[in-house]
Amino acid sequence: MNVFTKNTPFLLFFTHRLRFLPRFVAFHFHPFFLQLCYFLILSMLGYFSLKLSKPRTRVRPNDLDLFFTSVSASTVSSMVAVEMEVFSNSQLILLTLLMFLGGEVFTSMLDLVLARYKVTTNPFSPTSKTGTPFKANQVELGLVTIPHSESENHKPSDSDKLKYNSLIYLTFVVLGYLIVVQFVGFSLVSLYISLVPSARQVLKNKGIKIVTFSLFTIVSTFASCGFIPTNENMMVFKNNSGLLLLLLPHVLLGNTLYPPCLRLVIMLLKKVTRREEYSYLLKNFKDMGYDHMLSALHCCLLVATVLGLNVVQFVMLCSMEWNSNIMEGLNVYQKLVASLFQVTNARHSGESVFDLSSISSAILVLFIVMMYLPPYTTYLPVNREKENDVKRKEKSIVECVVMSQLSYLVIFIILICITESKSLKEDPLNFNVLNITLEVISAYGNVGFSTGYSCARQLKPNGMCKDSWVGFSGRWSNKGKFILILVMFFGRLKKFNMKGGKAWNLS
């Protein structure tokens, strides 16, 4: 007997087990642990890949800095511990892949795939009279038979099939949105750099390929990461207003304005195709279990809030920094575009055209507040259904012990102040509580803003000190960096604890 024929039952059994693994995962694992494992595995794979590949320079970054960079890219935090120009072209492509796989739009699409398996009325899932699903491998291997009358009595209703199909349509809409927006952005940025000599010369001097830069930058911007292949981030392009304007929409399309844009796309598809699934998505968005599907009213309020917060930041930045050193060499038009780009990135993307260490403290505090706000913050009230915990007065032990987001951030800041206590005393101009707070909130908000580190600000000049284009956290101790790694994971998964601290009564 042929070996393959002999093992056919086992192979079929294993294949069907593997086939229905996503269903098992969807029903038996909490989304928090799924995403935590996802980002941990992604970060570890990124670390090993960076370690095995060769950098551009002879000096290799140490293991902690490589893991720090991998976590930063996977959680789209863009905290810089190593100069970006140290990485080779292959390593930049690897970081691009990490940012793509760690972006909110991509991970939300994975959530949709798992959500399809949670639909108990899946037309492909045979059920018994009691509603208990049979094991798919048992059915297809002939170990279990379903009576004809039983299968007829438990056919899913039309509304159930419509919901299941709508989830499939939504998954493909998100995938199409993800690919089309980034492809258009990549094409436009590549074309701009190819046609504008000043931008092309910058990349030529740094030895960065146009294709690599365009792909890396668009993926980073859309994923709200903020990594740029150049050491100086976008400061070397602050005179290229056209490039800033091309990147500006992607800052919003992949983050704060994603729900309104997604709803607009579904509305257009409904009008063009007249498919019933798109109408179902618009009317029953709450039943989809997709956090990015919001009502029309909520989308309008979100747009108004995003624009309002940007206007406030824009006015304050221009009024306080218009004639400062950070605006030196820019004409009026370039100042306006650069300021708009800077304040738009303050919410989540973290790309910077100005040196934050030279910006006034008042603006830095404003940026800290903006980075702390969740992406879908709305100022005006939205009608919502009463929460379940309102109906249920009793709280679990976990709900009583858990603290608010702000409480955890305060703890992280205190811990870092302890680990960096020596530097706080000896180098107060670089190491101060405001800079540490900005770094922690930036990591929590997955933004990437940093004041950096300057040897010129040292009270006791050290002849061994050399300026490098790394973030402020790049000069921290290993303990401080490790704590910030925890902050980046905590910030990427903060949506699971947004209601924390409800048991605390401050009255």
Side-chain angles (χ1 to χ4, degrees), residues 59-88:
V59 180
R60 285 179 173 268
N62 61 53
D63 290 344
L64 181 60
D65 286 343
L66 285 179
F67 183 65
F68 186 97
T69 303
S70 178
V71 172
S72 187
S74 302
T75 60
V76 294
S77 300
S78 70
M79 307 305 294
V80 181
V82 181
E83 288 186 324
M84 294 302 297
E85 293 177 25
V86 167
F87 298 112
S88 61

Side-chain angles (χ1 to χ4, degrees), residues 141-155:
L141 290 176
L143 302 178
V144 176
T145 57
I146 304 176
H148 179 72
S149 59
E150 183 176 318
S151 61
E152 291 291 332
N153 293 335
H154 290 275
K155 285 184 177 180

Side-chain angles (χ1 to χ4, degrees), residues 397-413:
I397 297 178
V398 175
E399 290 174 324
C400 292
V401 174
V402 72
M403 295 183 293
S404 66
Q405 301 278 310
L406 190 59
S407 301
Y408 291 115
L409 292 176
V410 171
I411 294 175
F412 284 130
I413 292 172

Side-chain angles (χ1 to χ4, degrees), residues 242-284:
L243 178 60
L244 300 182
L245 290 175
L246 288 177
L247 295 177
L248 196 57
H250 292 79
V251 177
L252 302 173
L253 293 176
N255 197 275
T256 51
L257 294 188
Y258 171 56
C261 292
L262 178 62
R263 188 174 185 87
L264 182 60
V265 169
I266 295 175
M267 291 173 62
L268 292 175
L269 290 173
K270 171 193 171 185
K271 188 174 183 180
V272 173
T273 64
R274 300 186 183 279
R275 296 288 304 184
E276 189 178 4
E277 287 81 1
Y278 296 123
S279 300
Y280 185 89
L281 287 173
L282 295 174
K283 295 178 181 178
N284 303 275

Side-chain angles (χ1 to χ4, degrees), residues 30-43:
H30 192 277
F32 170 80
F33 295 106
L34 286 178
Q35 291 205 17
L36 178 60
C37 292
Y38 176 81
F39 287 114
L40 282 173
I41 294 173
L42 190 62
S43 299

